[in-house]
Amino acid sequence: MFSSSPNSRANHSAMKIWSAQNMSTEQCSTERPTSLDRQETVQTVSRLLKQAPPGEFDKAFSNLRALVEDDGLMCEEASGFCAVHNKDHFTPVRAEGCEVLLTRHNELEENRFLDPQSQVSFKYDHLRRKASDFQAHPEEDEKGEQWRRELQESLKAYVNEHYPGGLCGVFIKDTAVRRIFVACIGSHQHKPSASWNGLWKSEWIFALTLASTSTEVSGTITVQAHYFEDGNVHLNVTRDVEETLLVTDEAQTAREFVKLVEKAERQVQTGLMEEYQKMKDTYVKAFRRQLPITHTTLDWERMMTVKIVEVHIKQ
């Protein structure tokens, strides 16, 4: 569950950048370093930035910028790198009465995103992390919107109870024969002053037709955490979920859907807590210095005092 390195290809490419920068003068005179072409550099940087912990994209980008030593390339690609990170991490937007997550599911075009709950679209500057140019964007599918709102309200009540500061969004995609609903949950906790950052997010997808009595729900729960006080520990957990949802009316189906989500997320949390306890009793315990046979800590100050008294008496 603890992640300590990128994938092998990203590592290989990053090592080539490192070796090209740190090769000695003597080596350079006899052996020409292998350099990355532009496309390979962009791909390598993109893969490494995708692994940036929550709330630490700027630091990761600055470090890679210094490593690559090509400001032109990095500045040109910065907006694209940042856009991918913001959508992958379900970046929350709170502005002009909108409360919505940035995802690939509510992306329109030219960096515009939809907030279906307030029925507005806006342009988002990924580098400055600022929303602007808000415009009305009404939903034409009234029946689909009725389903979406019921799901949104039920999911919002669940998120408000379990994720302080978290947001959720339910998005709808119409096809010729069915409606596809996508529900997203994102809760960011950034505590750099306490040397940790974290993210809990989940994504749920299911489809409905006019004759649906049940549907298959596919979900992905992701937990990321980074602790960096006197060390560097990463936690990356991903769990895929497949469940069947009974379909009745809008309100009842929404309630059953939220119960399904809560059950799956509770199982993930319980599994994490059990793993922490296991680590505490095994791996972490092995790192610690064992207590003496009395199972109590030694009072070193008292021992030194006794020795000093004994020496004084002998003298």
Side-chain angles (χ1 to χ4, degrees):
M1 286 174 21
F2 286 88
S3 171
S4 59
S5 63
N7 61 47
S8 58
R9 186 176 177 186
N11 265 337
H12 175 67
S13 301
M15 285 301 295
K16 287 198 287 184
I17 297 175
W18 183 89
S19 61
Q21 287 190 322
N22 293 276
M23 189 172 289
S24 65
T25 305
E26 182 179 354
Q27 288 175 310
C28 289
S29 62
T30 59
E31 184 179 341
R32 186 166 185 155
T34 302
S35 60
L36 299 176
D37 59 32
R38 182 184 181 88
Q39 182 178 0
E40 191 175 5
T41 300
V42 171
Q43 291 175 349
T44 300
V45 172
S46 178
R47 284 194 294 270
L48 292 174
L49 285 175
K50 283 183 178 180
Q51 300 173 67
E56 300 177 44
F57 176 86
D58 292 347
K59 288 184 178 180
F61 182 86
S62 296
N63 291 338
L64 286 170
R65 182 177 180 181
L67 188 63
V68 172
E69 290 188 331
D70 189 340
D71 279 356
L73 181 147
M74 294 297 284
C75 290
E76 182 179 335
E77 301 291 339
S79 181
F81 292 149
C82 196
V84 171
H85 178 85
N86 288 339
K87 288 181 287 186
D88 284 350
H89 284 71
F90 291 179
T91 299
V93 175
R94 293 180 172 92
E96 300 289 334
C98 289
E99 288 192 340
V100 67
L101 300 171
L102 296 184
T103 76
R104 59 189 176 88
H105 304 294
N106 62 327
E107 184 178 18
L108 300 176
E109 56 184 12
E110 298 180 353
N111 291 327
R112 294 195 68 84
F113 291 84
L114 171 66
D115 178 6
Q117 194 67 7
S118 58
Q119 296 194 356
V120 299
S121 67
F122 56 89
K123 190 168 186 178
Y124 191 77
D125 188 326
H126 290 283
L127 291 176
R128 295 180 176 83
R129 296 183 176 86
K130 184 177 180 180
S132 61
D133 190 21
F134 290 81
Q135 299 178 7
H137 194 106
E139 175 58 55
E140 297 179 357
D141 181 4
E142 294 184 2
K143 184 62 176 177
E145 177 62 13
Q146 185 176 348
W147 276 93
R148 193 205 64 78
R149 284 190 175 273
E150 286 288 350
L151 290 165
Q152 173 81 31
E153 292 301 325
S154 294
L155 193 62
K156 183 179 179 181
Y158 163 72
V159 170
N160 289 342
E161 180 180 356
H162 295 279
Y163 301 101
L167 285 180
C168 66
V170 179
F171 313 110
I172 183 172
K173 298 179 180 181
D174 281 331
T175 66
V177 295
R178 60 180 184 171
R179 300 184 182 96
I180 300 174
F181 293 89
V182 182
C184 299
I185 296 173
S187 179
H188 295 250
Q189 293 291 327
H190 299 160
K191 302 290 184 181
S193 60
S195 302
W196 66 270
N197 293 304
L199 166 66
W200 182 296
K201 70 171 187 175
S202 62
E203 177 181 280
W204 308 86
I205 302 175
F206 62 91
L208 293 179
T209 65
L210 292 176
S212 292
T213 57
S214 66
T215 184
E216 295 301 314
V217 179
S218 299
T220 302
I221 302 170
T222 303
V223 185
Q224 293 178 279
H226 183 210
Y227 182 76
F228 47 92
E229 182 179 14
D230 298 329
N232 188 30
V233 180
H234 291 261
L235 169 70
N236 289 281
V237 176
T238 299
R239 180 183 175 184
D240 294 327
V241 181
E242 297 288 340
E243 293 286 350
T244 300
L245 175 67
L246 296 179
V247 178
T248 53
D249 57 70
E250 294 93 330
Q252 182 62 29
T253 302
R255 288 192 291 270
E256 292 301 320
F257 170 70
V258 170
K259 288 180 182 179
L260 181 154
V261 171
E262 182 174 9
K263 178 182 177 182
E265 295 197 331
R266 190 179 298 277
Q267 288 175 346
V268 171
Q269 183 182 18
T270 301
L272 283 172
M273 299 309 296
E274 291 175 352
E275 186 67 21
Y276 290 154
Q277 187 61 45
K278 179 181 177 182
M279 291 177 61
K280 180 181 177 182
D281 296 337
T282 54
Y283 310 123
V284 177
K285 184 177 180 180
F287 294 150
R288 296 174 178 165
R289 181 179 297 173
Q290 296 295 315
L291 289 172
I293 196 170
T294 59
H295 286 190
T296 59
T297 57
L298 294 176
D299 188 342
W300 294 104
E301 184 176 350
R302 181 181 177 184
M303 290 181 64
M304 291 302 299
T305 302
V306 171
K307 287 185 177 181
I308 292 172
V309 171
E310 289 177 349
V311 171
H312 181 72
I313 292 174
K314 289 179 180 180
Q315 292 177 347

